[in-house]
Amino acid sequence: MRGVMRKDNTPCRPDASRRLGARLGAALAAALVCCLLGGAASADTGAPSPGEAQRVHAQIRAAVEAWDPSIAEEVDLPGPISITLRLEGRVLSRTVVAEGGPEAVREALSVLMDRAESRLPFQKDATWPEPVRRITGLMQIGVELGGPLVPLSLDQLADATLEISPGIEGVAVRIGERVGAGMPSRMLEDGVEPALVLRSLVSELSGDPALGVVSPDDLRREHGVRFYRFGVTHIAETEPGSSPVFLFRGGEVVRSSELRGRDLVVFAEDLALHLMMRKPREDGVADPLGGTLRPIQGVFESERATPLQLALAALALERLATGERYDAAVRAGARDFVRRLAVAGAAIGEEQTEETAAAVWSGLRASSAMFDAMVADDEGLEAFLRACDRVCDGALRRAEALGAMVRPVTLWALAERARGDESLRPRVRRMLARAWSETGPERSVSLLPWAGWAELALAEGRGEVEGEEALRRSRMMVWIHQLDAADTGLEAPDLGGGVVFTAGENPLPTWHTVRPVVFFASMLGDPRLTGREEASREASRVLASVRFLRQLSVREAEAYSHRYRHRSIGGVRAALWDQRLHPEATAMTLIAVCDTLDSLSKLAAAGDDEGG
């Protein structure tokens, strides 16, 4: 087998394409491998080596501290260079020199400093540039060094989104003697696709905005436009003046060895702290959580979280607050924050709280002794939670009357309440059976995690889980689509453990990996669903996906470009190339990590009992 071929007739990795072809089918395999690898036939892109990048960064740091570009030595760069200067979390100056050569570093520094000077509040008097030198220690420097420009053949500019590895490769355009380049870090920060960058470069270099919508063939034939790709070595300071780190797709690759017991505890605490600290605690703020956060700009897409986001955050923080292994101060903070979230949820009112949010609050009340005790003395919260119960009851009655399905999250809430109300159990059981039957094996994953948690709630204290077959089948189907090292290779190690949902538009893993995996973490610790002979294999699969979720989370390296680092650290990004922080992504990941730790403890205890 020759492997998946790129449009320029060079092969993608044959071993990856064989495995993905067997798993996903040839068409999806072709798209996925090209997305993963950006069509790169080799990990060697010709970009400067790590040692060369460190030397260039050191020269740039010295030149910035002296505020004199001329002291930088000549370095014959093979491709584009970009330098970004940040001050107090904001971009002070950024420049791109699209063509390499011995003068590229000095040229980039000269433009960088000119732009910075125009934004600094200093006058060029007799003391110049001493005022600037006094604050250079507060500046962060990021450097991207590109490899040689490699011709890029495109039928449509939109094809660049599949051809270019997001966050790893840059793109360039040449029109006559003019060359422009788009760097991968800027694409990550702005959330733009390579195709849009190419359109912008064509318009900018030609001076004609209309050319940005012309087909590549016409641009080549009538205007002499040429398209290129290039690999990049990215090195940046995570703190002003700190030793720089190498970044891969805007962050550091998480190793499997970083997922030991204590590492997972720290991960859970980071997630919880993000949920509690993502929004400033100002007096009179009714919503303590906030909606989706854009960390680069440090702004919320919506100042207010949705009712469902509030409820999911409370559900997740309750998990951590009731766990003995976590830091006492973090647990206490989580308990306090759960109450604040409940107050915020109740303030929205019964009429504005949709069924999904009402179901989460109802299920949380039924499943958590801590939460039940917390709200017992608050008449307002009691009334709100009774209203949430009524929403779930009404949904069940309507579904029974119409012969329709009940939402999985509502089934979970009803199943939790059935622990104390036996009359509910057979009704929920029938609805769960209908959900599995009408959804079918191919789409059963869409019912997770809620239908799975409903099965466990109904099976508590019983010898078997009635939905075991459906749950095992769903788990098997998800693991078939989990990426491992053989799929990603050296070119995309950060994607390992992610799950590809083939029904989606994007054939790359995103935060939605957590939706089924959060239940598999619960499943791992239940001997009825994970036997002794399966435990090691299933634990490794769950931990692989937890590794991917850790990769999505913001750590010091990933926060280097964020406006308010303390707000974003610990949050889970929508994707490795999408920096947005949805509170529900962080909340579901927190539940997954807490349940993974609980399940691993159960497996260890079972092993000790057998050994004894």
Side-chain angles (χ1 to χ4, degrees), residues 153-222:
S153 177
L154 299 170
D155 293 331
Q156 300 292 331
L157 285 180
D159 293 343
T161 299
L162 280 179
E163 285 285 324
I164 301 301
S165 187
I168 295 177
E169 290 184 295
V171 294
V173 171
R174 179 186 292 276
I175 303 179
E177 296 300 315
R178 302 191 67 193
V179 181
M183 308 304 284
S185 70
R186 185 68 183 271
M187 287 187 259
L188 284 179
E189 291 176 21
D190 294 346
V192 297
E193 296 181 345
L196 182 59
V197 176
L198 288 174
R199 294 183 195 279
S200 298
L201 289 172
V202 168
S203 298
E204 178 185 340
L205 294 175
S206 66
D208 183 356
L211 289 187
V213 297
V214 176
S215 73
D217 279 344
D218 289 342
L219 288 172
R220 281 190 290 266
R221 184 174 55 254
E222 298 177 15

Side-chain angles (χ1 to χ4, degrees), residues 283-366:
D283 292 339
V285 174
D287 178 0
L289 186 66
T292 295
L293 175 63
R294 290 188 174 273
I296 303 294
Q297 298 81 12
V299 298
F300 288 96
E301 289 185 355
S302 171
E303 285 291 328
R304 289 186 175 274
T306 66
L308 180 59
Q309 289 170 338
L310 291 170
L312 288 175
L315 181 67
L317 288 169
E318 186 275 343
R319 282 285 213 285
L320 181 133
T322 53
E324 296 292 333
R325 61 174 57 89
Y326 307 107
D327 180 82
V330 178
R331 291 173 57 202
R335 284 193 296 271
D336 174 68
F337 208 76
V338 167
R339 186 181 186 91
R340 294 183 65 203
L341 290 167
V343 170
I348 294 173
E350 177 183 349
E351 294 181 357
Q352 300 298 319
T353 302
E354 73 268 21
E355 180 186 331
T356 52
V360 175
W361 287 118
S362 178
L364 176 57
R365 170 71 176 275

Side-chain angles (χ1 to χ4, degrees), residues 64-83:
V64 167
E65 290 180 353
W67 208 249
D68 181 358
S70 68
I71 71 170
E73 298 176 6
E74 287 189 359
V75 181
D76 195 5
L77 297 180
I81 176 175
S82 173
I83 308 174

Side-chain angles (χ1 to χ4, degrees), residues 167-168 185 188 234-236 238 245-254 493-494 550-562 573 576 579:
I168 295 177
S185 70
L188 284 179
H234 189 184
I235 186 170
T238 59
V245 298
F246 289 98
L247 301 178
F248 185 89
R249 217 188 307 267
E252 291 185 301
V253 177
V254 176
D494 53 343
R550 186 52 161 159
Q551 188 73 62
L552 287 178
S553 72
V554 178
R555 296 162 295 157
E556 289 290 336
E558 289 77 18
Y560 83 99
S561 61
H562 294 179
R573 295 171 289 169
L576 293 175
Q579 304 300 300

Side-chain angles (χ1 to χ4, degrees), residues 337-589:
F337 208 76
V338 167
R339 186 181 186 91
R340 294 183 65 203
L341 290 167
V343 170
I348 294 173
E350 177 183 349
E351 294 181 357
Q352 300 298 319
T353 302
E354 73 268 21
E355 180 186 331
T356 52
V360 175
W361 287 118
S362 178
L364 176 57
R365 170 71 176 275
S367 63
S368 171
M370 182 203 85
F371 187 66
D372 184 50
M374 177 186 295
V375 302
D377 61 348
D378 189 314
E379 292 184 7
L381 289 179
E382 278 282 2
F384 169 65
L385 293 169
R386 285 195 298 270
C388 290
D389 289 346
R390 289 195 297 272
V391 170
C392 296
D393 292 338
L396 178 59
R397 286 194 302 271
R398 286 192 299 274
E400 289 173 330
L402 298 173
M405 284 177 55
V406 177
R407 292 180 179 181
V409 64
T410 305
L411 285 176
W412 166 71
L414 292 166
E416 292 290 354
R417 287 171 53 201
R419 298 173 193 258
D421 182 356
E422 279 295 323
S423 66
L424 268 179
R425 182 180 295 275
R427 299 170 68 193
V428 177
R429 178 72 263 158
R430 285 193 296 271
M431 283 297 170
L432 263 177
R434 170 175 285 172
W436 292 120
S437 174
E438 294 189 10
T439 303
E442 293 298 322
R443 297 181 58 248
S444 62
V445 173
S446 66
L447 300 177
L448 299 178
W450 305 107
W453 285 334
E455 291 283 2
L456 293 183
L458 292 180
E460 184 173 296
R462 297 170 184 258
E464 63 179 19
V465 179
E466 290 190 47
E468 176 183 356
E469 181 181 349
L471 295 174
R472 285 180 171 275
R473 182 175 59 239
S474 297
R475 181 168 65 180
M476 178 190 69
M477 293 184 67
V478 168
W479 291 152
I480 287 174
H481 297 89
Q482 183 188 53
L483 301 178
D484 60 23
D487 300 320
T488 62
L490 296 176
E491 297 90 344
D494 53 343
L495 295 175
V499 176
V500 178
F501 295 97
T502 57
E505 295 180 359
N506 190 343
L508 288 175
T510 68
W511 80 267
H512 292 290
T513 288
V514 76
R515 292 185 180 275
V517 170
V518 66
F519 175 68
F520 300 157
S522 306
M523 210 173 165
L524 178 63
D526 192 319
R528 297 167 297 181
L529 299 175
T530 304
R532 182 178 61 182
E533 71 285 354
E534 305 170 282
S536 178
R537 180 185 69 238
E538 293 304 323
S540 67
R541 288 170 171 168
V542 168
L543 285 171
S545 284
V546 171
R547 189 221 68 82
F548 176 69
L549 296 172
R550 186 52 161 159
Q551 188 73 62
L552 287 178
S553 72
V554 178
R555 296 162 295 157
E556 289 290 336
E558 289 77 18
Y560 83 99
S561 61
H562 294 179
R563 178 70 180 92
Y564 302 110
R565 298 157 56 86
H566 65 283
R567 286 193 204 170
S568 58
I569 286 179
V572 173
R573 295 171 289 169
L576 293 175
W577 51 91
D578 185 344
Q579 304 300 300
R580 291 175 299 165
L581 302 176
H582 305 301
E584 59 267 42
T586 303
M588 295 300 281
T589 299

